[in-house]
Structure formats: structure tokens, C-alpha cells
Amino acid sequence: MKGILLNGYGESLDLLEYKTDLPVPKPIKSQVLIKIHSTSINPLDNVMRKGYASSIVDLKLKLPIILGRECSGEIVEIGDSVWDYEIGDQVWSASPPFSMGSHCEYITVDESEISLKPKNLTHQQSASIPFASLTAWNAIYNVLPTNKKITTNTKILVNGGNGSVGFFILQLLKKHLNVNQVSTTCNIKHFEKLKKLTLVNETIDYNNLKINDNDNNKFDLIFNCYDGGKNQNENEKKCIDALKDGGNLIGFNGPLVKFSDKDGVLSGLPMGMMNQLNSSERIKKQYSKNVHLDYAIFSPSGSTLKQISKLYENNILIPNIDKQFNLNQIKDAYTCFENSNSNGKIIINNKF
Ligand SMILES: NC(=O)C1=CN([C@@H]2O[C@H](COP(=O)(O)OP(=O)(O)OC[C@H]3O[C@@H](n4cnc5c(N)ncnc54)[C@H](OP(=O)(O)O)[C@@H]3O)[C@@H](O)[C@H]2O)C=CC1
């Protein structure tokens, strides 16, 4: 089959190799074999190719590996104990980083990690959604403390609302949970698009997030969907400043993997875990403010994908894709990603 091998970790795109003679994987037990029509590039792919999470990936896989965390396609073979799917089903899926990825023609995935894709979306549109939406879903429904659940009156800011995670959260808050007051930061060129497509109440230039000191203007809850790039501390501080005392901050770039990569899985992971658990204490000391900080991560789930699929089929949510490339143009796709030249998800297509 065709596929993109990552032969080593590093900045150079030459570490990615387009191959046409890779073996097609065989589905076993509860796995299905998906013929991939479309896949995408997520921020995780771009940092993984440079070595991020290699300490964890190395536990299960050895280089060369295939990147790509989500896809949309058709089931062409099933394992002996697959119950819920059959050959010909049109499905979508997202898988964790320690499994072989989707930047290729065929992938085996456990049936628990897939669902039928939304019937009204193309494969290209469907391939843009699973990874970010499952991460966002986890943040909203599982990570937020039970005594702080979102109501229609929770005043919420989504930092980075034009990204895949932010765009999904904005739509879910406004069009499904009917939250009254939702604001987002983004590049000013995306103001009108986000107002129109997500129904967000207020758009704020992310280079100019200044919140009046009056506590009434501050937020109860912030989803921080931007890792901060080279200014992580500054980005975190902006969010803390914009929160009410006692407010909740949800981040998507917790310290776990960074500790593991730095110090190895055995000592790094427990240290990262401790660091993560003590995040709210750190914030209290660092900023003299009572803010509850939690981190959300991607978690594969076919049953959640099924619920998300219904929200698209009922036209409550819409996808956000822009530039498209063929599999053999993967280096151009990553260059486009690095230069932030796409106003929506970058899609990779397989031409059969
Ligand atoms: N832990 C996990 O399991 C997961 C973590 N993540 C993380 O979540 C984050 C969001 O992911 P995703 O939505 O896919 O990423 P995207 O690359 O799609 O979006 C990132 C967004 O950040 C915005 N941005 C750029 N500069 C700033 C700034 N100075 N302040 C605020 N926002 C800014 C951009 O806005 P604009 O377009 O307007 O320029 C862009 O839309 C990433 O950091 C990713 O690594 C994501 C999935 C899983």
C-alpha cells in the first residue's frame, strides 16, 4: 500500500518518505481494516515528527512509524470477533499516538474506536473532526469538575476558537448547550467567519486580550486551545487574568508527556502526573489567585463518535476544512501547516 514513513525524529521534512510498497495490515479479533479515503494533519503529528511523545510511542512502536491520528473511509475486511460493523460500512475513527497512524491507504482499528461517519458529510469533511472533537468532548463532559458543570449562564472564553478543538467547542457551547455568553480569541481576520459559523457572541483579537479589572467582565471558565508557542507562560497568564476568582481553566497541553520525554517514562511520567495534579496549587502560588486548572487529553471512543456524528447529521454542527493535498504531497501539507496557511483543517486524500 501507499503510505508515509517517518524514518527519524527531527525538524527536516526529508525524514518523511512516501512509499508505495508497504504491507497492508491484517485485522485480528475485534479490529476492522479501513480503506482510508481522507485523513488530516493535527498539531500532534507536527510535533510527533520532531520527537514529542517519542518516549511513550517507543514503548509500543519502533521507527519507522506512520503518523496521522484520524481518518474517514470504508471497511474492507473485519476480524473474527467484530460484532457491530460489516464490510462496506462508511466509518470514521481517531486513534492514540502509540498506534500506527492514518497517513497511508489502509489502517486496522479496534471496532470500539470507530463509528459510522455522518451521512451528510464527505470523507474529506469527516476526516477533519474525530481527533479534535473527542478531545473537546472529554474537556466538556469528563474533565470539568462535576460541581462546575456548564449551564446556560456560565460565562465562557475559548482561547483560539478558529482551531479544530476551539471551533468544535464554540459550536457545541452555542448550538447544542445554548450557553448565553461565549467569547473567543482569534486572529482578527477570522472575526466574521466565527461569528457567522459558530454563533459566538464576542470575538477578541488574541494579541489584545485585555479584560477590565471589574470581576463582572471576567470569565467563569476558559478553554485554552492554544499551546502558547514560544510564549507559554504569557499565554497562561493572559487566561488566568481573564478568569474570575474561583474560575476554571482547561488546558490541552498538560505536562505529562513533556516530563516523560525529558526524564524517560519510568521517572518522568510519575513526575509529570504529580506536576499536573498540583497545577492549581502552582497557579495559586504563582499568581496569588484561586483558579482550578485541569488538562484534557484525547481519548478514543466509538460510542462518543456516534453521538458526535448525530450532531452533524442533524445539522447542528458543521465542519471547518480548508486546504487539501494528496498523500504524495505530504511535505507540502506540513509546510502549509507550519506556516499557518490554512484557515481550517488540512486534509490529506488518497486517490484510488
Ligand atoms: N492533549 C491532547 O490529547 C490534545 C491536545 N491538543 C492541543 O490542543 C491545542 C489545539 O489543537 P487544535 O485546535 O487542533 O490546533 P489548531 O492548530 O487547529 O489551532 C490552534 C489555534 O491557535 C490559535 N492561535 C494562534 N496564536 C494564538 C494566540 N497568540 N492566542 C490565542 N490563540 C492563538 C490559532 O488561531 P487563528 O487560526 O485565528 O490564527 C489556531 O486556530 C493544540 O495545542 C494541540 O496540541 C489537541 C488535541 C489533543
Side-chain angles (χ1 to χ4, degrees):
M1 69 169 180
K2 294 173 193 143
I4 309 295
L5 289 185
L6 179 73
N7 289 315
Y9 297 117
E11 287 285 336
S12 171
L13 287 170
D14 290 336
L15 293 164
L16 295 165
E17 186 183 8
Y18 175 67
K19 302 278 283 181
T20 54
D21 58 355
L22 299 173
V24 176
K26 182 94 188 136
I28 54 165
K29 298 179 182 168
S30 55
Q31 290 179 332
V32 303
L33 179 69
I34 302 174
K35 185 176 180 179
I36 298 169
H37 283 253
S38 301
T39 173
S40 75
I41 292 189
N42 278 289
L44 182 61
D45 299 314
N46 197 41
V47 288
M48 271 179 73
R49 71 179 179 84
K50 299 173 188 175
Y52 178 81
S54 57
S55 60
I56 294 165
V57 173
D58 282 355
L59 291 177
K60 271 196 108 176
L61 302 172
K62 294 280 165 265
L63 287 170
I65 58 170
I66 297 175
L67 298 173
R69 300 276 52 98
E70 61 193 343
C71 70
S72 180
E74 179 176 332
I75 295 181
V76 290
E77 202 181 327
I78 56 174
D80 293 340
S81 45
V82 169
W83 288 105
D84 292 332
Y85 297 92
E86 54 189 38
I87 290 169
D89 280 347
Q90 309 290 306
V91 294
W92 60 354
S93 85
S95 323
F98 42 81
S99 58
M100 273 297 188
S102 55
H103 290 167
C104 56
E105 268 185 299
Y106 295 91
I107 190 170
T108 50
V109 187
D110 195 273
E111 69 167 335
S112 64
E113 294 179 3
I114 65 172
S115 88
L116 296 179
K117 75 171 196 57
K119 289 190 185 67
N120 56 335
L121 298 191
T122 63
H123 282 294
Q124 285 90 345
Q125 291 171 323
S126 300
S128 69
I129 296 161
F131 190 70
S133 65
L134 285 170
T135 306
W137 195 273
N138 211 13
I140 292 174
Y141 291 107
N142 302 325
V143 170
L144 201 58
T146 33
N147 61 340
K148 292 291 189 75
K149 287 295 174 213
I150 294 170
T151 71
T152 50
N153 291 325
T154 314
K155 194 167 168 357
I156 304 176
L157 173 71
V158 175
N159 188 34
N162 191 49
S164 303
V165 174
F167 191 82
F168 183 87
I169 292 179
L170 283 178
Q171 290 195 86
L172 206 70
L173 295 177
K174 286 305 300 175
K175 302 183 192 174
H176 183 54
L177 298 174
N178 301 317
V179 177
N180 291 323
Q181 188 56 44
V182 180
S183 304
T184 189
T185 66
C186 60
N187 189 307
I188 49 174
K189 65 184 180 198
H190 301 135
F191 277 11
E192 289 318 309
K193 169 189 156 186
L194 290 185
K195 276 187 186 148
K196 189 168 161 211
L197 300 184
T198 71
L199 309 183
V200 69
N201 303 87
E202 182 190 30
T203 45
I204 305 168
D205 175 3
Y206 53 46
N207 291 316
N208 200 15
L209 174 62
K210 288 200 191 92
I211 306 294
N212 191 321
D213 261 352
N214 174 355
D215 214 35
N216 285 336
N217 292 325
K218 295 194 175 187
F219 297 94
D220 300 305
L221 168 63
I222 297 182
F223 292 97
N224 184 13
C225 307
Y226 173 57
D227 68 355
K230 292 195 176 93
N231 302 310
Q232 290 178 9
N233 292 343
E234 198 183 300
N235 183 54
E236 181 181 85
K237 184 173 182 317
K238 271 203 291 197
C239 293
I240 304 281
D241 285 347
L243 271 171
K244 286 180 187 165
D245 198 48
N248 283 70
L249 177 60
I250 305 231
F252 295 90
N253 292 282
L256 217 61
V257 176
K258 285 175 207 149
F259 272 86
S260 172
D261 284 347
K262 186 166 154 281
D263 295 318
V265 175
L266 277 183
S267 57
L269 268 188
M271 275 197 313
M273 189 79 79
M274 283 311 292
N275 190 288
Q276 192 152 314
L277 287 172
N278 289 332
S279 295
S280 301
E281 281 304 311
R282 172 179 66 79
I283 298 287
K284 207 178 266 174
K285 277 196 196 130
Q286 209 168 327
Y287 302 97
S288 307
K289 190 163 176 178
N290 177 27
V291 161
H292 197 84
L293 170 57
D294 289 292
Y295 290 101
I297 56 168
F298 160 76
S299 173
S301 167
S303 58
T304 305
L305 277 180
K306 195 172 168 185
Q307 293 181 64
I308 293 171
S309 178
K310 286 280 165 277
L311 293 172
Y312 285 91
E313 286 183 346
N314 293 335
N315 295 312
I316 296 169
L317 307 183
I318 54 169
N320 180 30
I321 69 172
D322 186 15
K323 300 272 189 318
Q324 300 199 32
F325 296 85
N326 287 326
L327 190 60
N328 60 0
Q329 300 171 305
I330 196 85
K331 292 182 191 180
D332 296 336
Y334 274 105
T335 304
C336 179
F337 181 90
E338 290 244 300
N339 295 336
S340 304
N341 276 344
S342 188
N343 180 14
K345 197 82 161 214
I346 294 173
I347 298 300
I348 315 288
N349 293 309
N350 273 318
K351 272 195 176 162
F352 293 108

